[in-house]
Amino acid sequence: GCSGAGALGSAEGVETVTVAIVSNPQMEDAISLAPEFERENPGIRLRFVSLSENEARAKITASVATGGGEFDVVMVSNYETPQWAQNGWLTNLEPYMAGTPGYDRADFIPTVRDSLSFQGAMYSVPFYGESSFLMYRKDLFEQAGIQMPAQPTWPQIAEFAARLDQGEGRQRGICLRGKPGWGEVMAPLDTVINTFGGRWYDPQWRAQLTSPEVRNAVQFYVDLVRQHGQPGASQSGFSECATQFGQGQVAMWYDATSAAGTVEDPTESTVAGRIGYAPAPVVATPSSGWLYTWSLGIPQTSPRKDAAWRFMSWMTSKQYIQRAGNDPGIGWTSVPPGSRQSTYQIPQYQQVANAYAPLILQGLQRANQEQPTVQPVPYQGVQFVRIPEFQDLGTRVSQQISAAIAGQITVDEALEQSQNYAETVGESYQR
Amino acid sequence: MAEVVFDKASRIYTPGAKPAVDSLDLTIADGDLVVLVGPSGSGKSTALRMLAGLEPIDAGSVRIDGRDVVDVPSKDRDIAMVFQNYALYPSKTVAENMAFPLKMRGMEKEERGRRVRQAADMLGLTEYLDRKPKALSGGQRQRVAMGRAIVREPQVFLMDEPLSNLDAKMRVQTRAQIAEMQNRLEVSTVYVTHDQVEAMTMGDKVAVLADGQLQQYATPPELYDRPINSFVAGFIGSPAMNLLELPRSASGVTLGGVEIPLPRDVSDAAGSRDRLTVGIRPEDWVLESTDADAGSVVKAVVDVVEELGSESYLYAHLADDTSTSIVVRGPGRVQVRFGDPIAVRPNPDALHVFDVETGRRLP
Amino acid sequence: MAEVVFDKASRIYTPGAKPAVDSLDLTIADGDLVVLVGPSGSGKSTALRMLAGLEPIDAGSVRIDGRDVVDVPSKDRDIAMVFQNYALYPSKTVAENMAFPLKMRGMEKEERGRRVRQAADMLGLTEYLDRKPKALSGGQRQRVAMGRAIVREPQVFLMDEPLSNLDAKMRVQTRAQIAEMQNRLEVSTVYVTHDQVEAMTMGDKVAVLADGQLQQYATPPELYDRPINSFVAGFIGSPAMNLLELPRSASGVTLGGVEIPLPRDVSDAAGSRDRLTVGIRPEDWVLESTDADAGSVVKAVVDVVEELGSESYLYAHLADDTSTSIVVRGPGRVQVRFGDPIAVRPNPDALHVFDVETGRRLP
Amino acid sequence: MAVTTDTEERAPETAGGATEPRRQKRSAANVWLGVIAWIVGIAFFFPVFWMVLTSFKQETDAYTTTPKIIFEPTLEQYEGVFSAGVGPYLVNSVIATVFSTLFVLLLGIPAAFAVSLRPVKKTQDVLFFFISTKMLPVVAVIVPIYVVVNQIGMLDNIWTLVILYTGMNLPIAVWMMRSFFLEVPGELLEQASIDGAPLWRTLREIVLPIISPGIFATALICVIFAWNEFFFAVNLTAANAGTMPVFLVGFITSEGLYWAQLSAAATLAALPVIIAGWVAQNKLVQGLSFGAVK
Amino acid sequence: MTTTTERPTAAPENTGGAAMIDRAEGWRRRGPLLPALVFTIIVTQIPFILTLYYSLQSWNLVRPGSQEFVWFSNYGDVFTDSQFRTVALNTVIMTLGSVLIAVVLGLLLALLLNRQFVGRGVVRTLLITPFLITPVAAALLWKTVLLDPTLGLINFVLTPFGGSGTEWISQYPLASVMAALIWQWTPFMMLLLLAGLQSMPTDQLEAARVDGASAWSTFRELTLPHLRRFIELGVVLGTIYLVNIFDQVYMMTQGGPGVASANLPFYIYQRAFLGFDIGQSAAMGVVVVILTLIAANFALRLIFKSFSGEQEAA
Ligand SMILES: Nc1ncnc2c1ncn2[C@@H]1O[C@H](COP(=O)(O)OP(=O)(O)OP(=O)(O)O)[C@@H](O)[C@H]1O
Ligand SMILES: Nc1ncnc2c1ncn2[C@@H]1O[C@H](COP(=O)(O)OP(=O)(O)OP(=O)(O)O)[C@@H](O)[C@H]1O
Ligand SMILES: [Mg+2]
Ligand SMILES: [Mg+2]
């Protein structure tokens, strides 16, 4: 086909590598640095397809699954990588890593590395990783005379939220995602369910969404966001909460650790410098942060694997982080975090990020995707269930939760319906 | 049932341009039927539309029954109008079209139906009452437009060439019906037509317009017998009056070598002019034997013969002046053919004489 | 330049329904101008369209110059047609409109221009050659349509009411031009009209259609003098012939108490019928003094007088039979008015007698 | 009659004096309705205006609880958008729009002609078929289309979009143009056939000039739909054939504040069609009123 | 125009030739239609047939080797899916509601714009703009600029009236999406109806004035019937596009909360691009096609009937 070999700029001896990428800020930074890569590698030209997360995921999945072959490098997450590796859709990267001196595979944060491995081999390399934590306004806490514990619990957070809530139309207690989507509301909610002791399935793949633990957790989450959460909660995702928190509309925000870069950026945030950070709140588990990583892989169909790897290894290298940190347009606050342990040793980074960087690293290291909750589960993943059906299942369940947050149905109704969906999926694994 | 007065009424479509209707003075007596005639573009429709309230009156005024209607909107003028192009409502049936003005006046359904049926009966439309206009022939549409006007019994009827699309037979018939109805209802009526016969037969009075200006306003016989100027003379009558510009002679004028004496009063009025426009209607030629004395008859050569059965028209040119053509009415089944010579003599009592320059009638 | 023959040609629009044109037999001699007349819906246009190839011929055949054209598409029949509503190409100028048929025949540009200029000259269109049709008046459009037909010099001209949209004056003028041109070019022409005068004056022969069937095909005088049936009698002539259903008397028929004798041959042909339809043209009444003897004149009361200037028509009803109306032609400026009594006598030499039942002329 | 004389004398005055108030009354109503029209017009336009305004803001100015009308304008967002390489997307959009519209006209005009002026048997069925193809939700066929396109190696190829957009707009175009054709008087065709014109010349020389306003309106609508199409574009293109809406979506991120930059991208994406629509609106109205009806 | 091409069984000697002419003529008439027809069949029907085929398969894109032939079980799932019914109902409400409101608003605006006033051209320009905006951008505009509970302009404008804080998209998700759709489609309807108004023959309006009709009567009795065809065209075009609308739902609400604002295209999209359940989504697509065809058959035939009625009489 005409994939990859673009009509534009495919001179003699030049390989064009097409990269499908999620259009988040760090990736855009990478794109802006890409010309440097091309300069260093005259035989390779890069073409980026940058789409928002939803489109990117749908498109990349369709392309890879049907062997569309438009892309030489795809951005995937720790949700897809092991599955796709198992399906034989991704290229085993171990030989490439081994053949790239100074790449330092061992430097990747172990949990992240594991989450991108299938049968011990990495099939994608992390660009950045994230866990979840709690952000709060130190100034407001001080004013209210509240002291944030070193390891807060959810009931404590609920109480703080109530105390900091100034009522409708004014500053609210907390921002929590409510937007439907398995990557939206389900992410923080899953961590809450996990730490409340709930789970999606028992080891026999029987759906557990109506169990008391799950019910309590969801009820807690829904109550909290409905009572003291941000306006428009059922439509809020990461971006909306970032705006709310950044504009000083809420006192706390529980979300991805990558948020730190956004809310500490004075050009985007009015509260930069007044933010405190705490680990993900817990109830019954010792920790509850999630584990998520955007990583790069090479589809099996790509005929330009070497060139593709050359680019990927550049983008996920230690040098890249140095380069980005020293770039005036990017800066140390915006370097991709959560991929390499060495990043946290860089003095410049420590300097700008010392408020949250150690917490991120700790969150990532403690995230436990093998055993996310108290009871045993037959699946892997913290804020998702790593089975192919989960995107659909998670989204459907998230729609129910979102409806409950919007007040259109009760939590019980939402979970009843969700349980149905989950049972259908579970049945296909019981056989 | 009202007197209609145009009082120096003018309409200027484009500021600065010549008015389409220019200081029109016209009084239509209560119950009269007045016919407006004139060439295309002479302002007939415009005058009608001013009366109907469809065109503003830029100067002067128009009064209906003594009331100045300049500021009265159409719908309050109590006027019924038949439009030149029918203006039927395409989405309504014939019956609905005819009932519409009644409905707008809040008449009851019963009564509406009765009146519509009656009018349809009169116009031979009964079997088409349920059709939409587009399923009618041109003549039928015209009759519906007529019906829509007559159901009303308004103060004034306005009809803009209402019969132009009917065939000869229908036309004669409808023409008689309109005259009859107008007579019976005694509604003042203004009727625009370009048909000679209609103008002559229907009007109590006829107004001749040209270039937005009233030329003559008189009864049909007066118009026919004493046209006020050469324009009216040439316009009224079909085929048109022969209008010949002739040199003066001692006692009258000379045509084709023949001396045509003029009556005393005409001669006097003509004064010292050395040329006169003389009008002779086709029927006012007397056909003479072709071997008559050259000095007493005008000799001509036939170009075309139009044989109508009951009469014929001979189009001929003068034998000694091929550029002058004349039309002569002959009897039906005349025996002359193309190229035949004829001899004619004008009836001296029926001469119309006009000033060459101004076109005014003399005396 | 061709003979045109309709040979039992029929057109049935809706299977099962009455044919719009029913077994038409008609031969148009080479170079003749034949006028088709008939009431609305009688199939005139349809016949023309069959000849033009715009309607299929469902039965019978049509031959042009001896060639059966049933299967020949329009564009290969070498026919020119003037449509009732002109059918000018709105996006083309006058010159382009007229040149189009020539262009389609692959004529060279030079030659096209020459012919178009020539035709435009003849029709007085020279100064409008660069205008688009919408910038022309009705009369001018009509002439363009005509021009488009004549530049072609086709085998046959077809004209469907080509003058219906012109005003009276224009009409007389164009009528003469068409007749003249047709004479000169000697192209066989079929001309549809509903205008009496056109029919009578233009046609070498006239075909009268009714309900898709040919009634009579004859020269205009023949048609006027010897209509073959009461339909033709009533259709030709304006105002229409008086058609009266009268009881037989000893030597003829009785009208209003007056005995009207019939010629021998008519009496014989009438046989034992006890009622006859008798036709009397308006001009065939003789106006008598009203105090004439009751037995010799028909007494009537005037309803309407139509004064045309050159003549007048008196619409009257019989004094002793108010349901019978008659039309009488009187002289111009007649002195009778509504309600006046008149006395008339039919001219015995100009009677038309028809069978009451079949309408056929006797003998 | 005394009254008449009376009026007669005052006639000129009355005429002048009386028309004034009426004109004023009428124009007063007109002014009010005009004001309403302006308000509604501005209300409809306001979101677009705000979008353009936002595109000149800093992100922090874009996100304020009290909307900011006064701010320091910046071209930073546009710089960002241009540096992301809008060029190829623009070119792709132009290609997809222009060619698909061209193909729609090429295929659609004869088809509309066939189903209107020279109706074939089962005209209604044919028309119905055309329209019914629009009932199929694209989302349902996108996977089959993806598979087929992949099979024939046409993924990420702008001509794929050209073909699909042609298929997408063709039914509507045929349907609209059919009604324009129906407005052409039948005698013109008959006249042309008598004048000896073959079918295609009749179409080219007689019919098309008459219905050109209608065709223009149809084309403009096809342009609008093709330019703005998103679903096919996002699913069937990658690096080479992306169109403006795809480019626009690339600015949506699930992390970070992006509205000002997105506004700039949206403004750029919509601008060509907005300008085209503004310029051509008169013709559009003219074209739609030409036929569209019968 | 004559619509009849058949020659009834007449003139026996002509029949043979006539039939031949008919066939040749038939092809001449069909000829111009064929390219478009063939093109449409290829572009739309091949994918559709594949869709039919997939709808009989159980196939999850992300589980390789899961493909198997399952007859009609996908259809069974569609019909037992209670949410499918909700979503179908949403689709009907969203489509018809938006179209009808857009038509009514469009009519009002067209009437306004059909009058003379200062700056009429400018107002029309302002009004048509929403129709020209890329739907994706329009959806974002509504979601972010207008309807956002804290930053949205609508709540800002409503604040003085005590109406702030409404969470439009969560509380009235369907209405919010419809508002965006109406905003985009009203201009189109306005243009279409304006065209209709401007093609209204003035002589009819004058006749009505003379006949004594008030402005309202004239509108109801004459203008509205005249506009009927334009309204029908607007409804048909609008319905066809809106029934398949995807961008706005996807961008504004993601069908949520729950499935409160999901329409069929979006629901199918979820099955296809989140579940990657190709069999399911294909079956749903087929069901949607069949349902819309039934509805459209009904509506379109009605319109076609009046169309052909017109044709015969003309
Ligand atoms: N709406 C208009 N705008 C400008 N000029 C007009 C308008 N309507 C008519 N006129 C002009 O006014 C003059 C009179 O037109 P009007 O329609 O009254 O003529 P008419 O006597 O009715 O002619 P016809 O016999 O052709 O109907 C003409 O010169 C015409 O061109
Ligand atoms: N397309 C058609 N379909 C069905 N019937 C038709 C069609 N055209 C004409 N007719 C019918 O055929 C008959 C003859 O019509 P035709 O047009 O030939 O009449 P005409 O003599 O030209 O009348 P007019 O003087 O009104 O033009 C009429 O009864 C008419 O209703
Ligand atoms: Mg007029
Ligand atoms: Mg006819």
Side-chain angles (χ1 to χ4, degrees), chain D residues 26 29-30 33-34 36-38 40-48 50-51 54 63-67 107-108 110-111 113-121 124-145 147-148 163-164 166-172 174-176 178-179 182 186 189 199 221 224-225 227-231 235 245 248-249 252 258-259 262 266 269-270 273-275 277-278 281-282 284-285 288-289 291-294, chain E residues 1-3 5-6 25-26 28-30 32-33 35-37 39-41 43-48 50-51 54 59 105 109 112-113 115-119 121-137 140-141 144-146 150-151 153 156 182-183 185-188 191-192 194-196 198-199 226 229-230 233 236-237 240-241 244 246-247 250-251 264-266 268-269 272-273 278 281-282 285 288-289 292-293 296-297 300-301 303-304 307-308 310-311:
Chain D
R26 199 199 266 163
N30 257 350
L33 288 170
I36 293 175
W38 267 101
V40 177
I42 290 171
F44 263 76
F45 183 71
F46 197 78
V48 181
W50 198 256
M51 177 180 88
T54 306
Y63 288 91
T64 50
T65 35
T66 308
L107 293 170
F113 176 70
V115 296
S116 55
L117 291 186
R118 297 167 60 97
V120 289
K121 278 180 214 168
Q124 296 197 357
D125 295 336
V126 170
L127 274 172
F128 190 75
F129 167 75
F130 272 117
I131 280 295
S132 69
T133 61
K134 293 287 309 172
M135 311 285 172
L136 187 64
V138 256
V139 287
V141 287
I142 190 70
V143 172
I145 288 180
V147 169
V148 171
I163 290 169
L164 288 172
T166 307
M168 166 182 92
N169 283 330
L170 190 57
I172 297 292
V174 169
W175 214 60
M176 282 181 70
R178 166 183 175 271
S179 58
L182 284 179
L189 299 181
L199 181 59
I221 286 181
I224 294 172
F225 285 140
W227 184 277
N228 289 336
E229 203 283 337
F230 166 64
F231 194 74
N235 283 299
L248 168 60
V249 170
I252 303 173
Y258 55 84
W259 181 236
L262 195 56
V273 174
I274 290 184
I275 288 173
W278 282 359
Q281 53 173 319
N282 273 325
L284 191 57
V285 174
L288 289 174
S289 62
V293 251
K294 274 191 181 151
Chain E
M1 276 300 313
T2 60
T3 39
T5 52
E6 294 135 301
E25 174 69 11
R28 243 199 322 279
R29 288 183 174 222
R30 264 188 293 277
L33 180 63
L37 205 56
F39 179 86
T40 309
I41 288 172
V43 173
T44 64
Q45 299 309 293
I46 289 179
F48 182 61
L50 263 178
T51 308
Y54 288 157
W59 179 25
L105 281 180
L109 291 178
L112 267 183
L113 281 192
R115 311 175 63 94
Q116 282 298 340
F117 60 86
V118 186
V122 180
V123 172
R124 191 176 70 186
T125 305
L126 296 181
L127 273 175
I128 62 166
T129 311
F131 180 60
L132 305 170
I133 291 273
T134 314
V136 175
L140 290 169
L141 205 53
T144 316
V145 171
L146 293 172
T150 37
L151 309 173
L153 292 176
F156 175 73
I182 291 165
W183 180 70
W185 280 84
T186 299
F188 176 74
L191 268 183
L192 193 62
L194 189 62
Q198 295 188 348
S199 70
H226 168 78
R229 306 210 154 282
F230 289 86
L233 184 75
V236 170
L237 280 182
I240 286 170
Y241 273 100
N244 277 324
F246 170 78
D247 302 358
Y250 178 70
M251 289 288 165
L264 286 167
F266 180 78
I268 295 172
Y269 172 84
F273 283 90
I278 304 307
S281 67
V288 169
V289 172
T292 28
L293 276 187
N297 202 9
L300 277 181
R301 297 271 161 181
I303 290 171
F304 274 127
F307 266 108
S308 44
E310 179 95 340
Q311 217 174 316

Side-chain angles (χ1 to χ4, degrees), chain C residues 12-13 15 49 55-60 70-71, chain E residues 2 4 6-8 10-11 13-14 17-18 21:
Chain C
I12 303 159
Y13 280 112
R49 294 166 56 81
E55 297 286 348
I57 293 147
D58 295 319
V70 168
D71 294 336
Chain E
T2 60
T4 342
E6 294 135 301
R7 286 161 62 116
E13 76 269 10
N14 282 342
I21 284 250

Side-chain angles (χ1 to χ4, degrees), chain B residues 175-203:
Chain B
R175 187 208 303 167
Q177 279 171 344
I178 294 179
E180 192 275 334
M181 177 197 73
Q182 196 268 341
N183 242 310
R184 185 160 49 76
L185 301 179
E186 294 194 313
V187 175
S188 309
T189 303
V190 187
Y191 188 104
V192 172
T193 183
H194 62 238
D195 182 304
Q196 293 287 330
V197 179
E198 278 173 29
M200 296 303 286
T201 58
M202 297 181 74

Side-chain angles (χ1 to χ4, degrees), chain C residues 139-188:
Chain C
Q140 291 159 343
R141 289 182 203 187
Q142 190 108 47
R143 280 181 279 158
V144 176
M146 194 73 76
R148 189 173 52 185
I150 66 178
V151 287
R152 281 267 308 278
E153 301 185 356
Q155 283 201 325
V156 185
F157 274 140
L158 306 181
M159 308 197 183
D160 197 349
E161 313 199 4
L163 307 184
S164 59
N165 286 290
L166 302 189
D167 69 24
K169 210 158 178 173
M170 197 69 187
R171 209 160 163 149
V172 172
Q173 191 181 321
T174 318
R175 190 208 301 166
Q177 277 175 344
I178 295 179
E180 193 274 334
M181 176 198 75
Q182 196 267 340
N183 242 308
R184 190 158 48 75
L185 301 179
E186 293 196 310
V187 176
S188 310

